[in-house]
Amino acid sequence: MPKLTVDGVEIEVPQGATVLQACELAGKEIPRFCYHERLSIAGNCRMCLVEVKPGPPKPQASCALPAAEGQEIRTDSALVKKAREGVMEFLLINHPLDCPICDQGGECDLQDQAMAYGRGTSRYDENKRAVEDKYMGPIVKTSMTRCIQCTRCVRFTEEVAGTDELGMYYRGEDAQITSFLEQAVTSELSGNLVDLCPVGALLSAPYSFEARPWELKKVPGIDVMDAVGTNIRMDVRGRQVMRILPRINDAVNEEWAHDKTRHHVDALVRRRLDRPWIREKGKLRAADWNEALKLFADKLGEAKSKVACVAGDMVDAETMFAARALLAQQKGTLFEGRQTGLDYNVSNLAAVAFNTPLAELEDADVILLAGTNPRWEAPLVNTRIRKAVRRGTKVFAIGHQVDLTYPVTWLGGDLKLLNDLPGELTDAFKAAERPAMIAGPGLLAAGGQGDAQAAAKALGIVKDGWNGYNVLHTAAARMAGLMLGYFHEDGLAGLIAAKPKLVLMLGADELSADAFPNAFKIYVGHHGDKGAAQADLVLPGASYAEKHGTYVNIEGRVQRSEKAVFAPGDAREDWSIFRAVSELTGKPLNFDNFTQCRAAMIEAVPALGIEDGTIVDLPYAPADVAAKGEGALNYPINDFYLTNAICRASPTMQRCSAELIHGESFAEAAE
């Protein structure tokens, strides 16, 4: 490990580190625009200049210079200060002076660094260049006159997103960034371009001119749009979540978030349930809480033990626990979270979990995808696979062909391939030290759990110190639901066959309307979607942004989300609804507030009480499940942008679906 000095302080740095990284290890701030920790080095903004000895007597770009033994680095000399001021002057030659009306104002790298490292005065009188704005779709708004050609956006689409949709045209003063043929950017990760842009050239179209950063309260949360458990930050003004941004967590989402995570936020104030509703003569009428809760309690008493509960895809663990505790008083035993009818053995949770930590997936030698389209089912798992491919990993897939943004050897689309493994697949896995397999929802829907387990055993995917057998779920509530007992040995069909008299639907908007034809249906949720349309009693609950909650991601990682805003109107937090009903039945639940509810849940399932961000220990012992043998594998998601009730209520997600999935064109208004 090389030893060098930074501003007179000797430090030791890892082999292969750059001078910029060495300076940061020494606690020095180095300004930069083009350099980013997760992208390749471009070295084109020149803002990170430092003085290095031995070497030429001039400042050098620290981002592209390897750290070497014996170097003497100065970051605060007069030469460095003057050089950075000169670079900043050049960057501002054509940059418009529109900070007061720029949406990036207050969180702009150029603004901050001009204050810290610029001259404070300008020596240029020439006219500034103007560049025509480009069209990049419904997510990214452009103001290309502000662009400083750092190329972060180009490198992101090429290296992380894998879509190669941006590039730089022309040279010198005429250089400009654009999407090819000036068409919409189709990547489901395009919102990250806005975070990466160090100036106001790429902006969030749905958020533009909505709020200033200093007006916002920042609340940490967990995303529920998929099962990865992306760490997010909800920016709140008043009683509304204005935007959602990712939080850095290298173990889960790094610093990325997909477009559904970011831009469903406009639906949190649209099509909301804000009062109870009771169905009479086929039509819903508004009611008050006293009437609605009394009806709930009466129907619960009439049903006795013939009660069932179906949990939706975005429900927190506390809500599922409280609902289960209420129905358990009736001796109810019918609980299910797989509302679309999936049926697989969950006697061992590790056999239905993502056993390879997400951060280690990119170290796999060879990967088999079975019945999964990770680009739509879990985009941030797909970025991990893409990183592995860029390092030389070979990917095989069973299912119909889709564009996963990296080279894939497609073996076919039938389940029988897992029972008659192709030679090229077995040869690749024999030579692998860290093989991995991802069984997706398409495989589970086809009844292929036994086939996947048999293939994993034949391919030697589980080794000492390495478990490469992974099941990819799409529901944020799935793992916590399984831990809380939301599964029936015969799946949803077992609940239907039991013919319950009362069915409690916890945000279950994907449940078929004819699933329980003779039951009294009670829907507890936050959006007036498919679930509310079929319910006999509708009780307004809180969305994930309006309550504290515990979520468990596909790895079994327990994470906690904070309450950002209050629920609208008369809507209530879900656990409090069940507590109020229990009071009317004469059997009050043993908690009176959320803290007590969480404590009771942890007492019942201690694994849900481990430290925030910790993976639950799930011993791997898969049950003996018979192989189905054959059958077509189909992916469950047909439209990435409209997968749940929140997304279906979002104008932005509807626009993305229409334009990016269905090819509709939209005329842009002149400004």
Side-chain angles (χ1 to χ4, degrees), residues 15 22 138 178 208 231 242 247-248 250 317 335 355 378 396 478 604 644:
Q15 191 68 40
T178 181
S208 286
N231 288 216
M242 302 302 296
R247 286 183 290 136
I248 297 177
D250 288 332
F335 297 91
N355 295 294
F396 296 88
R478 180 71 75 247
N644 57 56

Side-chain angles (χ1 to χ4, degrees), residues 214-438:
W214 53 85
E215 301 174 325
L216 304 174
K217 181 180 72 173
K218 301 169 178 59
V219 181
I222 301 298
D223 175 50
V224 297
M225 293 295 112
D226 59 25
V228 173
T230 299
N231 288 216
I232 60 174
R233 188 188 88 197
M234 294 174 277
D235 286 356
V236 178
R237 185 179 65 187
R239 294 191 61 167
Q240 183 176 349
V241 179
M242 302 302 296
R243 67 173 176 181
I244 289 175
L245 298 175
R247 286 183 290 136
I248 297 177
N249 187 330
D250 288 332
V252 182
N253 57 292
E254 299 181 281
E255 61 184 80
W256 315 126
H258 58 74
D259 292 346
K260 208 162 44 170
T261 297
R262 291 173 179 272
H263 296 297
H264 71 266
V265 66
D266 53 359
L268 295 177
V269 293
R270 288 175 169 84
R271 286 169 54 177
R272 291 299 303 271
L273 298 172
D274 59 359
R275 69 188 72 177
W277 296 83
I278 296 174
R279 190 175 300 278
E280 290 182 350
K281 298 179 181 179
K283 293 184 178 181
L284 290 172
R285 69 163 177 86
D288 60 29
W289 272 109
N290 289 333
E291 183 183 8
L293 292 176
K294 186 177 184 307
L295 179 61
F296 191 157
D298 291 345
K299 292 295 182 180
L300 203 58
E302 293 173 12
K304 297 183 180 178
S305 64
K306 300 284 284 184
V307 292
C309 183
V310 180
D313 293 346
M314 300 181 288
V315 187
D316 58 291
E318 287 83 359
T319 294
M320 289 186 281
F321 169 76
R324 185 179 178 91
L326 177 66
L327 298 194
Q329 293 180 341
Q330 305 288 119
K331 294 184 169 46
T333 59
L334 302 174
F335 297 91
E336 185 56 76
R338 298 164 292 183
Q339 54 179 329
T340 55
L342 294 179
D343 181 14
Y344 45 85
N345 188 295
V346 293
S347 57
N348 178 246
L349 281 179
V352 291
F354 207 94
N355 295 294
T356 306
L358 293 175
E360 296 178 20
L361 183 62
E362 56 200 58
D363 297 326
D365 301 317
V366 59
I367 299 174
L368 171 62
L369 306 177
T372 179
N373 173 9
R375 182 175 175 183
W376 278 9
E377 293 159 8
L380 298 183
V381 172
N382 204 53
T383 62
R384 299 281 190 177
I385 300 173
R386 178 170 169 77
K387 286 176 74 173
V389 170
R390 285 171 59 82
R391 295 174 180 174
T393 299
K394 189 169 181 60
V395 178
F396 296 88
I398 298 175
H400 63 261
Q401 294 192 26
V402 291
D403 179 13
L404 295 177
T405 73
Y406 43 81
V408 178
T409 301
W410 293 93
L411 303 174
D414 199 283
L415 194 59
K416 63 183 179 183
L417 288 163
L418 287 175
N419 299 287
D420 185 14
L421 299 168
E424 60 177 324
L425 180 67
T426 55
D427 291 345
F429 273 78
K430 278 180 186 176
E433 294 182 6
R434 295 180 299 277
M437 174 181 179
I438 300 177

